[in-house]
């Protein structure tokens, strides 16, 4: 199996375990994924939906109270004018990034293992960005003026300030959401056609017929479809890097010690991918357990994801270290104070939670056994997201709470409404996710079929192409089928 | 369906194949026989099918590139007009037209328009229609599950309803059938 068997042998990629276990046929894949949707919803789904929807109701209650009463209900005040709303916004946008990385970058890198997880990772992106968009929408205080964020002609004859990173954010995040939605929908089209063709009632047939654009799977359609998919992957790839970079400029272009740092863009992007993969892993572990999809979302997938988490976690750790190094090396007393205050000031507890969860904990996964231990991965992925939430908290709050005049110094505390809004946003996220796994195929059916050995014409005996094999088509399964 | 008594307009012919390799070979045969309005239907895209069918490359990249330039150029123009012409505002002494600061929005809108171009361009290019001849077959629904089909439309100049079924059988087609438009008004037998 390993690459270095023999000197005489040409280098081969180490032979992986199969992407999908149990060697299913095309029909098995359809039946398996859609069987979940066609069966009655399990009791657990109803209970989860009830719990999630109740939490989402809490969110809307909190938002209603905020609109009625004003942002004074939150703990924000001078000097901490940016509180949990911004922390939550950055947290949720960051989570979305793993979905785009899986659907776009791993597609361009021909990582075939992504096919089992890309659909629900993309859905996770959409729902996370929806949760993120709630916060800038409500945190402005005067919600009836949110349209000022957009360059719309208005009675004041004013235009937004395009030199402000806050406006860049509006464009970056709304573009991100739209592109993710389009990419997700394009991926769904062939699967919606499968649902149309399996539908028993006329109304379902009509709905899915419409949604699938009358898909007929002809190569004259596939050839444009594949190019569209590739291009969408290509244009989503810079978004993975640009969106969180723009978010980081909200901080980095200010002159606040602790924020005014040039490493923020790559540091934020690495953190985003890190937290996003943790969220994909949490959801994947629950979903595959509930629906028994362990042969589609395999331990191998988990191991690959946790390796990406280790990499990005160490990048984040490197950024933490660099911040300290620069604070010392620059000789800037304000920067040095901000960083010292971060690690040893009143919020040291938050800082060290962040370091433990994001830097120390992932080091456990150097051990292969732990990379394949599902309970450890589950707890680990939850803790990583705890750590990443605290990272944003640390950046936002510790940089603000002790500003230039010691008379202004304060210890920021959230109110019950801050907490309710944040917890409620998980309700919204989980409600949307539960509805998604109930009504749409959570595994990309046609893409999974495409990575089965049987999908490659070169794997059939007697086909004239079998002599002029492509490296990419060689899965070591020639003639296994047919 | 291949009995001669069926009423309706013949709009094409359909044959099923067992696996991707057989479909690929069949596509080459249909191409070599001179058919033009034919298609190969499969649950997933098949590597090498464009060559087998003699298909040209998709022109979608040109549409997407055009849309990206339109979006980015439009965004830059918009920011210039709003910030440097219509509503000049001195902020920290920065120039009214500061292209560095305008880059994120320009980039964002270029991506956004490119994405719209990719999706709507694709919808246009796939000749999306809800009543394609192939949907007249009861068997055809299997294409989205595990079956592979070749369809030849009656609009093809080489289409001959007497010969096409035999042709599809000789190239290895299973469950060969004529596609009949189930529309009473058009019934011509």
């Amino acid at each position: 199996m390993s690459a270095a068997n023999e000197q005489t042998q040409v280098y081969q990629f180490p032979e992986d375990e199969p992407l999908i276990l149990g060697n299913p046929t095309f029909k098995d894949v359809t039946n398996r994924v859609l069987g979940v949707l066609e069966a009655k919803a399990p009791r657990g789904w109803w209970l989860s939906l009830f719990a999630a929807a109740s939490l989402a109701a809490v969110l809307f209650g909190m938002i209603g109270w905020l609109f009625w009463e004003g942002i004074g209900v939150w703990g924000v005040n001078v000097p901490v004018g940016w509180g949990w709303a911004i922390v939550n916004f950055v947290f949720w946008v960051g989570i979305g990034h793993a979905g785009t990385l899986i659907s776009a970058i791993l597609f361009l890198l021909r990582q075939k293992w992504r096919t089992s997880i890309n659909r629900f990772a993309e859905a996770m992106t959409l729902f996370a960005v929806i949760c993120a968009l709630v916060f800038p929408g409500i945190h402005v205080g005067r919600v009836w003026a949110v349209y000022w964020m957009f360059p719309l002609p208005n009675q004041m004859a004013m235009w937004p300030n395009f030199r402000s990173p806050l406006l860049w954010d509006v464009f970056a995040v709304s573009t991100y959401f739209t592109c993710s939605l389009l990419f997700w929908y394009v991926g769904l089209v062939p699967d919606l056609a499968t649902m149309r063709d399996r539908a028993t009632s006329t109304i379902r047939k009509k709905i899915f017929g419409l949604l699938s654009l009358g898909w007929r799977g002809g190569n004259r359609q596939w050839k444009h479809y594949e190019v569209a998919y590739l291009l969408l992957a290509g244009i989503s790839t810079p978004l993975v890097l640009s969106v969180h970079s723009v978010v980081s400029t909200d901080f980095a272009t200010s002159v606040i010690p602790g924020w005014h740092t040039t490493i923020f863009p790559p540091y934020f992007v690495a953190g985003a991918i890190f937290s996003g993969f943790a969220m994909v892993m949490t959801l994947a572990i629950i979903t595959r357990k509930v629906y028994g999809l362990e042969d589609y979302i395999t331990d191998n997938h988990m191991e690959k994801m946790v390796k990406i988490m280790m990499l990005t976690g160490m990048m984040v750790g490197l950024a933490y270290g660099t911040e300290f190094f620069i604070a010392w090396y620059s000789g800037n007393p304000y920067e040095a104070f901000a960083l010292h205050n971060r690690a040893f000031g009143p919020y040291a507890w938050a800082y060290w939670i962040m370091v433990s969860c994001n830097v120390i904990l992932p080091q456990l996964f150097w051990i292969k056994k732990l990379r394949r231990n599902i309970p450890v991965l589950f707890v680990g992925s939850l803790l990583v997201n705890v750590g990443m939430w605290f990272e944003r908290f640390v950046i936002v709050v510790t940089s603000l709470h002790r500003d230039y005049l010691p008379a202004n110094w304060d210890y920021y505390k959230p109110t019950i409404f801050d907490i309710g809004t944040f917890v409620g946003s998980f309700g919204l996220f989980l409600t949307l996710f539960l509805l998604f796994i109930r009504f749409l195929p959570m595994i990309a059916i046609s893409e999974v079929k495409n990575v089965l050995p049987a999908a490659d014409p070169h794997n059939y005996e007697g086909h004239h192409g079998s002599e002029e094999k492509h490296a990419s088509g060689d899965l070591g399964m020639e003639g296994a089928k047919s | 369906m291949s009995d001669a008594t069926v009423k309706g307009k013949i709009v094409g012919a359909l044959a099923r194949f067992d696996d991707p390799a057989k479909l690929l070979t069949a596509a080459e045969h249909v191409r070599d026989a001179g058919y033009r309005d034919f298609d190969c239907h499969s649950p997933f895209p098949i590597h090498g099918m464009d060559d087998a069918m003699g298909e040209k490359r998709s022109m979608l990249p040109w549409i997407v590139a055009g849309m990206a330039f339109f979006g980015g150029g439009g965004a830059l123009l918009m920011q210039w007009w709003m910030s440097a012409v219509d509503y000049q505002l001195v902020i920290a002494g920065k120039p009214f037209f500061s292209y560095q600061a305008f880059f994120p929005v320009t980039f964002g809108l270029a991506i956004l328009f490119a994405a719209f171009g990719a999706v709507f361009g694709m919808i246009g290019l796939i000749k999306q229609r809800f009543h394609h001849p192939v949907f007249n077959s009861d068997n055809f629904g299997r294409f989205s599950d595990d079956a592979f089909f070749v369809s030849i439309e009656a609009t093809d100049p080489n289409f001959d309803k007497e010969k096409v079924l035999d042709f599809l059988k000789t190239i290895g087609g299973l469950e060969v059938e004529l596609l009949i438009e189930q529309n009473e008004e058009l019934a011509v037998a």
Side-chain angles (χ1 to χ4, degrees):
Chain A
M1 293 281 167
S2 91
N5 296 352
E6 294 289 335
Q7 279 298 81
T8 53
Q9 214 174 353
V10 192
Y11 177 77
Q12 285 184 325
F13 286 105
E15 197 178 300
D16 262 334
E17 40 193 297
L19 296 170
I20 310 294
L21 304 179
N23 202 10
T25 62
F26 299 133
K27 202 172 194 63
D28 294 339
V29 177
T30 319
N31 288 342
R32 190 62 181 284
V33 179
L34 291 184
V36 168
L37 306 183
E38 287 157 0
K40 259 181 74 172
R43 253 174 82 94
W45 182 83
W46 283 107
L47 291 173
S48 318
L49 184 71
F50 179 75
S54 310
L55 270 183
V58 170
L59 172 70
F60 291 112
M62 292 291 155
I63 293 175
W65 181 242
L66 175 83
F67 286 1
W68 182 256
E69 201 60 23
I71 52 167
V73 300
W74 287 347
V76 284
N77 208 330
V78 174
V80 182
W82 274 12
W84 276 34
I86 301 297
V87 175
N88 299 341
F89 165 70
V90 181
F91 172 76
W92 280 119
V93 174
I95 283 186
H97 280 59
T100 320
L101 183 114
I102 291 170
S103 59
I105 296 184
L106 297 188
F107 178 76
L108 296 181
L109 297 178
R110 301 276 184 267
Q111 295 294 307
K112 289 182 176 180
W113 59 275
R114 78 186 253 296
T115 52
S116 296
I117 53 171
N118 74 324
R119 173 68 48 72
F120 75 81
E122 287 166 31
M124 178 204 75
T125 295
L126 285 180
F127 306 146
V129 177
I130 288 173
C131 289
L133 284 169
V134 166
F135 290 97
I138 63 174
H139 90 300
V140 291
R142 284 176 272 175
V143 281
W144 50 91
V146 281
Y147 72 92
W148 291 6
M149 293 195 287
F150 302 99
L152 297 169
N154 55 60
Q155 80 286 2
M156 302 168 291
M158 282 163 65
W159 296 115
N161 173 20
F162 287 101
R163 285 161 288 181
S164 160
L166 297 176
L167 194 68
W168 305 345
D169 234 9
V170 173
F171 282 86
V173 179
S174 48
T175 295
Y176 184 43
F177 179 75
T178 314
C179 289
S180 305
L181 183 66
L182 290 172
F183 198 8
W184 185 63
Y185 174 66
V186 167
L188 266 169
V189 165
D191 290 359
L192 290 169
T194 308
M195 293 181 79
R196 170 199 66 197
D197 294 335
R198 279 170 72 104
T200 40
S201 72
T202 327
I203 181 92
R204 264 179 86 86
K205 244 185 170 49
K206 285 234 157 75
I207 290 172
F208 288 114
L210 206 63
L211 289 176
S212 65
L213 305 169
W215 185 253
R216 51 186 189 273
N219 188 56
R220 286 174 206 275
Q221 294 192 314
W222 279 122
K223 76 164 186 178
H224 299 300
Y225 176 92
E226 283 196 282
V227 173
Y229 200 88
L230 180 71
L231 287 172
L232 282 169
I235 60 183
S236 301
T237 296
L239 284 182
V240 177
L241 306 175
S242 74
V243 174
H244 230 52
S245 296
V246 168
V247 170
S248 79
T249 59
D250 292 349
F251 303 95
T253 58
S254 72
V255 284
I256 311 279
W259 286 2
H260 189 64
T261 323
T262 47
I263 62 163
F264 260 27
Y267 161 29
F268 268 50
V269 171
I273 293 164
F274 182 48
S275 66
F277 265 93
M279 186 60 101
V280 174
M281 182 166 280
T282 311
L283 294 174
I285 289 174
I286 299 174
T287 312
R288 72 175 206 158
K289 181 88 197 154
V290 171
Y291 288 113
L293 288 166
E294 278 95 346
D295 41 356
Y296 282 66
I297 306 168
T298 63
D299 290 356
N300 193 18
H301 288 106
M302 297 294 161
E303 188 175 350
K304 288 192 158 89
M305 286 198 275
V306 84
K307 281 179 179 168
I308 295 181
M309 283 163 63
M310 283 179 71
L311 173 72
T312 48
M314 285 187 284
M315 286 161 79
V316 167
L318 181 65
Y320 298 160
T322 308
E323 281 191 311
F324 271 93
F325 173 75
I326 294 297
W328 166 75
Y329 186 69
S330 67
N332 181 331
Y334 300 100
E335 191 72 23
F337 171 77
L339 270 291
H340 185 271
N341 183 49
R342 211 172 253 188
F344 306 108
Y347 287 107
W349 57 273
Y351 185 83
W352 294 106
I353 289 177
M354 168 187 101
V355 170
S356 324
C357 294
N358 295 351
V359 185
I360 300 169
L361 173 101
Q363 305 312 319
L364 283 178
F365 297 114
W366 288 106
I367 303 163
K368 188 176 171 88
K369 266 221 171 86
L370 294 180
R371 289 201 298 270
R372 293 185 156 251
N373 184 325
I374 299 305
V376 171
L377 287 177
F378 186 71
V379 175
S381 66
L382 287 175
L383 286 177
V384 163
N385 263 321
V386 170
M388 282 308 296
W389 187 87
F390 271 101
E391 179 195 297
R392 280 67 175 247
F393 177 84
V394 164
I395 291 171
V396 171
V397 174
T398 64
S399 307
L400 289 174
H401 85 117
R402 285 184 166 174
D403 67 358
Y404 311 101
L405 291 175
N408 281 346
W409 289 6
D410 196 7
Y411 187 81
Y412 162 83
K413 280 197 283 295
T415 65
I416 184 80
F417 301 103
D418 283 302
I419 298 166
T421 312
F422 176 54
V423 174
S425 68
F426 274 94
L428 178 62
F429 177 75
L430 291 173
T431 305
L432 291 169
F433 194 79
L434 286 164
L435 290 174
F436 159 69
I437 59 172
R438 183 72 211 127
F439 293 106
L440 289 170
M442 70 188 118
I443 290 179
I445 304 168
S446 89
E447 290 183 41
V448 166
K449 285 177 189 166
N450 209 358
V451 300
L452 295 178
D456 191 330
H458 300 116
N459 289 338
Y460 289 85
E461 204 77 67
H463 179 64
H464 67 92
S466 54
E467 298 89 44
E468 24 160 307
K469 262 184 328 230
H470 298 247
S472 63
D474 184 5
L475 291 172
M477 294 282 293
E478 286 83 13
K481 295 275 170 126
S482 148
Chain B
M1 284 283 250
S2 54
D3 56 329
T5 58
V6 279
K7 286 253 160 70
K9 187 183 169 198
I10 296 169
V11 286
L14 188 73
R16 187 176 74 77
F17 292 84
D18 258 340
D19 58 52
K22 294 209 174 84
L23 189 70
L24 206 56
T25 318
E28 287 164 357
H29 287 307
V30 180
R31 176 198 66 193
D32 294 342
Y35 286 102
R36 191 168 49 87
D37 295 350
F38 74 102
D39 209 345
C40 299
H41 309 263
S42 52
F44 45 80
I46 294 171
H47 188 70
M49 187 55 92
D50 285 350
D51 287 341
M53 285 175 66
E55 279 281 282
K56 283 207 272 297
R57 289 182 68 157
S58 172
M59 61 174 293
L60 191 60
W62 295 105
I63 297 175
V64 173
M67 286 294 278
F69 281 110
F70 175 74
L76 202 59
L77 207 62
M78 173 185 78
Q79 294 176 89
W80 164 76
W81 183 74
M82 288 177 181
S83 313
V85 178
D86 195 47
Y87 188 67
Q88 294 186 339
L89 205 58
V90 178
I91 291 165
K94 291 174 198 157
F96 294 122
F97 181 76
S98 50
Y99 63 91
Q100 300 92 335
F102 292 169
F103 181 74
V105 172
T106 306
F107 174 77
L109 288 184
I111 295 283
L112 183 68
F113 276 74
F116 281 127
V119 175
F120 294 106
M122 178 199 82
I123 291 174
L125 288 173
I126 62 173
K127 302 206 170 61
Q128 177 275 329
R129 52 194 274 207
F130 294 107
H131 292 94
H132 193 269
V134 288
F135 292 124
N136 291 306
S137 160
D138 296 329
N139 203 15
F140 182 69
R142 288 181 56 198
F143 92 88
S144 64
D145 183 9
D146 65 344
F148 302 84
F149 291 97
V150 167
S151 70
I152 301 176
E153 288 178 52
T155 49
D156 192 291
N158 281 350
F159 188 86
D160 181 338
K161 66 177 193 280
E162 313 295 330
K163 291 185 188 149
V164 67
L165 294 184
D166 287 334
F167 168 70
L168 287 170
K169 269 182 209 150
T170 54
I171 62 169
L174 314 161
E175 291 149 45
V176 174
E177 61 177 302
L178 281 174
L179 298 166
I180 316 282
E181 183 92 46
Q182 308 284 354
N183 190 332
E184 294 308 310
E185 285 171 58
L186 289 172
V188 283

